[in-house]
Amino acid sequence: MQMNKSFNLLSLAALALSGFGVTSAMAQNPNYAPGDVVLFFQQFGGSNTIMANIGSGTTFRDATSNMVNITNIGGLLSNASTGFGANWFETSGLYWGAAGVRSTSTSTTAAAVNGDPNRTLYVSAGRLALGIEGTAGSGAWSLGANADMTTGASNIFTMNNRLETVSAISSLVEGTASSTIDEQNPFLGSNPGTAFGVFPGGVEGGFGAGSLGSFGGVSGVEGALDLYRILATTTASGTIAIGDNSDLRNGTYEGSFVIDNTGSVSYIVAAAAPEPTSAMLLGMTALIGGCVRRRKATV
């Protein structure tokens, strides 16, 4: 069993690295497409894993208002035999994360698709506290090299591709013997280790006793994840980016996923950057005008 699993993983990795990460021609599951963000759950020392597709990464990138109850996966999580039990949300050692990638191609000149160039990563970070709505509650991811983007994209694609090749619905429940969640998100001791080969400390958040409180209009929050978008290139035609390369391989905060004790998942959008007020613009104009007058006076 392990030999077959290793062979399949190597085959998928080779396919991804060859540049054919988008598999629309071989699509088997109408409820999943490369580029979708997948939630995943695993328990330290446990034997079950769960994946659930929650939609395209660009949907969350472009969201302008909170999205309440995107999906409810409480039935999957609470199943006594294939999930984590009725009180899953109080279970210490249970972790969840989110990840998505559309293409593993290393081309940096191919036109972006819906604003995302090849190897654009959508990946979570455990939110340290609920904090202020619309702002990140974790440190932004930063990948130092182009090779890290390739490794991350390949490994995320490999994990999420289980939905494409094994499931016919938007979720997948598997034992750890066949799941790739535990391999792409290993534990270091009893804590998350390096995820997808490039994210030290993991991309997951944990559950435990007690509720975190209310956030973004959602009460009884039990877990919270920040979502980051990481670009492998900012020069591909059609890329939605800041434009000054400050976001090249540096995560930009897009919003946060929260889950309550019923298993309802919601998305709380990042606050829009404040636009300059009229007063600020007038003040800047006056300041520039003053500088010009002083320069003329000294001529």
Side-chain angles (χ1 to χ4, degrees), residues 135-223:
T135 62
S138 59
W141 292 114
S142 181
L143 298 183
N146 185 55
D148 294 332
M149 295 296 301
T150 301
T151 298
S154 176
N155 288 334
I156 291 171
F157 184 87
T158 295
M159 184 188 79
N160 288 0
N161 199 53
R162 295 289 294 174
L163 273 175
E164 179 73 86
T165 60
V166 177
S167 180
I169 58 177
S170 61
S171 60
L172 178 63
V173 178
E174 288 190 294
T176 53
S178 55
S179 172
T180 57
I181 291 174
D182 54 320
E183 295 184 349
Q184 297 299 345
N185 299 271
F187 286 100
L188 182 62
S190 58
N191 297 310
T194 299
F196 303 112
V198 292
F199 297 105
V203 303
E204 298 169 302
F207 296 93
S211 169
L212 297 177
S214 298
F215 191 67
V218 179
S219 59
V221 171
E222 298 288 345

Side-chain angles (χ1 to χ4, degrees), residues 9-299:
L9 287 176
L10 289 172
S11 299
L12 284 171
L15 176 64
L17 289 173
S18 68
F20 295 98
V22 180
T23 57
S24 57
M26 299 182 294
Q28 299 177 27
N29 185 352
N31 297 291
Y32 169 77
D36 288 350
V37 173
V38 173
L39 295 181
F40 55 92
F41 297 77
Q42 65 170 339
Q43 185 177 5
F44 175 69
S47 58
N48 300 323
T49 66
I50 293 175
M51 304 174 73
N53 180 19
I54 53 173
S56 172
T58 58
T59 297
F60 303 110
R61 180 199 68 195
D62 297 339
T64 57
S65 59
N66 295 346
M67 303 164 64
V68 178
N69 194 22
I70 301 169
T71 188
N72 190 300
I73 52 177
L76 294 174
L77 295 171
S78 62
N79 189 289
S81 58
T82 59
F84 308 104
N87 293 319
W88 58 268
F89 49 88
E90 301 279 322
T91 301
S92 177
L94 178 61
Y95 293 89
W96 71 316
V101 65
R102 177 185 58 80
S103 172
T104 61
S105 171
T106 57
S107 171
T108 58
T109 58
V113 175
N114 294 326
D116 281 352
N118 293 329
R119 293 179 297 153
T120 296
L121 309 182
Y122 287 89
V123 66
S124 60
R127 194 173 176 93
L128 302 179
L130 289 184
I132 301 173
E133 179 184 345
T135 62
S138 59
W141 292 114
S142 181
L143 298 183
N146 185 55
D148 294 332
M149 295 296 301
T150 301
T151 298
S154 176
N155 288 334
I156 291 171
F157 184 87
T158 295
M159 184 188 79
N160 288 0
N161 199 53
R162 295 289 294 174
L163 273 175
E164 179 73 86
T165 60
V166 177
S167 180
I169 58 177
S170 61
S171 60
L172 178 63
V173 178
E174 288 190 294
T176 53
S178 55
S179 172
T180 57
I181 291 174
D182 54 320
E183 295 184 349
Q184 297 299 345
N185 299 271
F187 286 100
L188 182 62
S190 58
N191 297 310
T194 299
F196 303 112
V198 292
F199 297 105
V203 303
E204 298 169 302
F207 296 93
S211 169
L212 297 177
S214 298
F215 191 67
V218 179
S219 59
V221 171
E222 298 288 345
L225 300 170
D226 288 340
L227 180 67
Y228 292 94
R229 175 179 180 249
I230 312 175
L231 296 175
T233 177
T234 56
T235 59
S237 173
T239 298
I240 295 177
I242 293 174
D244 58 1
N245 279 343
S246 64
D247 50 352
L248 179 63
R249 297 194 296 275
N250 293 317
T252 55
Y253 172 66
E254 302 296 333
S256 300
F257 294 113
V258 294
I259 189 169
D260 66 17
N261 60 14
T262 71
S264 174
V265 178
S266 299
Y267 181 68
I268 311 304
V269 298
E275 296 182 359
T277 63
S278 298
M280 289 176 61
L281 292 174
L282 288 172
M284 290 173 64
T285 302
L287 178 61
I288 293 171
C291 291
V292 171
R293 284 195 297 273
R294 283 194 294 273
R295 288 190 63 187
K296 286 183 176 179
T298 59
V299 175

